[in-house]
Amino acid sequence: MRIIVIGAPGAGKGTQAKLLAKHFNVPHVSTGSLLREYIEKNTGTCDELKHVMNCGYLVDDDIVIGLIRGFVEDKAFIFDGFPRTVKQAEILNEMLSAISAPLNKVIYVTIDDDIIIGRMAGRQSCSSCGAIYNTKHNPPAAERICDHCGGALFVREDDCEQVVRRRLRNYYTLTEPIIDYYRKQGIVFEISGLGCIDEITNAVIAELS
Ligand code: AMP
């Protein structure tokens, strides 16, 4: 199975990608998480990369393509955060065409900006398994502790309002045009990110089954 989940920051794409990956037993590939792991393992040598991410800008295509290449070659993935530009989508298309492994579906999770800003305000991520919580809408059972793995929850530096607004601008100018690119291929499934998490997942599973 080869799926892409696209949505603005805070739309719930990461949560959905994770649940879908579990359901279909396919690797969940979050380029943001892979980049954060890479920076953590190489502390001191990635200051520039860290700065780019903390400011909410996109990192170089070469770095990101290097991270996803193996998953493309294995022909099974749920991409979360990739592609982020039409150029990246074109590169992915070429890679998949070369191995005759087309995408099954692009899941497009939509949501209003006002709700995104509110959601990001209380967002916490698990440092161990990457699960995402919101202190108001989806709190962990115990403060700052992940329900799934017991890992410590933290607030990402790029989740502050000013950076979220920049990430949103980048999303609308650079990432959203991807939807038209994939609509032309007839593989977009659009769903509102407003409902309850399980209902959204079930609707996507029904579409993919
Ligand atoms: P995310 O966890 O998906 O919100 O990504 C966090 C940050 O990682 C983004 O704001 C970018 O700086 C970087 N990033 C993640 N995926 C990509 C990508 N496909 N292309 C460029 N930068 C990316």
Side-chain angles (χ1 to χ4, degrees):
M1 176 172 274
R2 291 169 295 280
I3 303 290
I4 290 173
V5 185
I6 295 182
K13 71 175 165 48
T15 303
Q16 290 303 328
K18 200 177 264 296
L19 291 168
L20 293 169
K22 196 171 171 201
H23 180 87
F24 290 109
N25 198 22
V26 176
H28 166 221
V29 184
S30 155
T31 41
S33 300
L34 290 174
L35 285 163
R36 284 185 288 276
E37 272 166 33
Y38 180 82
I39 289 171
E40 206 163 303
K41 279 191 199 134
N42 298 278
T43 358
T45 61
C46 301
D47 291 353
E48 176 63 28
L49 182 60
K50 195 172 173 182
H51 179 72
V52 168
M53 287 178 68
N54 284 346
C55 290
Y57 297 113
L58 294 187
V59 311
D60 280 350
D61 286 348
D62 289 351
I63 299 175
V64 181
I65 302 294
L67 292 174
I68 56 98
R69 188 176 294 281
F71 297 98
V72 172
E73 286 165 0
D74 288 346
K75 300 184 180 177
F77 52 78
I78 296 196
F79 281 154
D80 158 13
F82 178 86
R84 253 200 171 73
T85 61
V86 171
K87 187 172 166 224
Q88 288 182 2
E90 287 168 350
I91 295 172
L92 176 63
N93 214 33
E94 276 168 29
M95 292 167 87
L96 290 171
S97 297
I99 54 172
S100 304
L103 287 173
N104 297 95
K105 211 57 130 187
V106 172
I107 311 298
Y108 175 32
V109 186
T110 60
I111 200 146
D112 285 348
D113 280 10
D114 304 355
I115 294 167
I116 287 172
I117 301 288
R119 277 190 181 185
M120 302 299 268
R123 187 152 105 151
Q124 296 182 346
S125 312
C126 175
S127 53
S128 180
C129 75
I132 295 161
Y133 297 85
N134 183 286
T135 45
K136 208 165 155 197
H137 310 291
N138 177 29
E143 217 175 292
R144 295 250 167 184
I145 295 174
C146 178
D147 293 353
H148 305 292
C149 73
L153 303 185
F154 73 107
V155 178
R156 275 170 46 178
E157 277 190 45
D158 60 348
D159 276 348
C160 74
E161 184 170 335
Q162 188 195 2
V163 178
V164 169
R165 288 194 187 277
R166 182 179 297 136
R167 288 164 65 200
L168 272 177
R169 279 198 301 276
N170 279 344
Y171 171 76
Y172 288 119
T173 51
L174 299 172
T175 307
E176 224 187 31
I178 295 177
I179 299 301
D180 271 346
Y181 175 83
Y182 286 125
R183 273 200 213 284
K184 287 181 190 137
Q185 300 178 19
I187 53 171
V188 174
F189 176 66
E190 182 172 337
I191 187 154
S192 164
L194 259 191
C196 99
I197 292 173
D198 289 344
E199 278 172 18
I200 298 171
T201 316
N202 289 339
V204 177
I205 290 170
E207 173 69 19
L208 294 174
S209 303

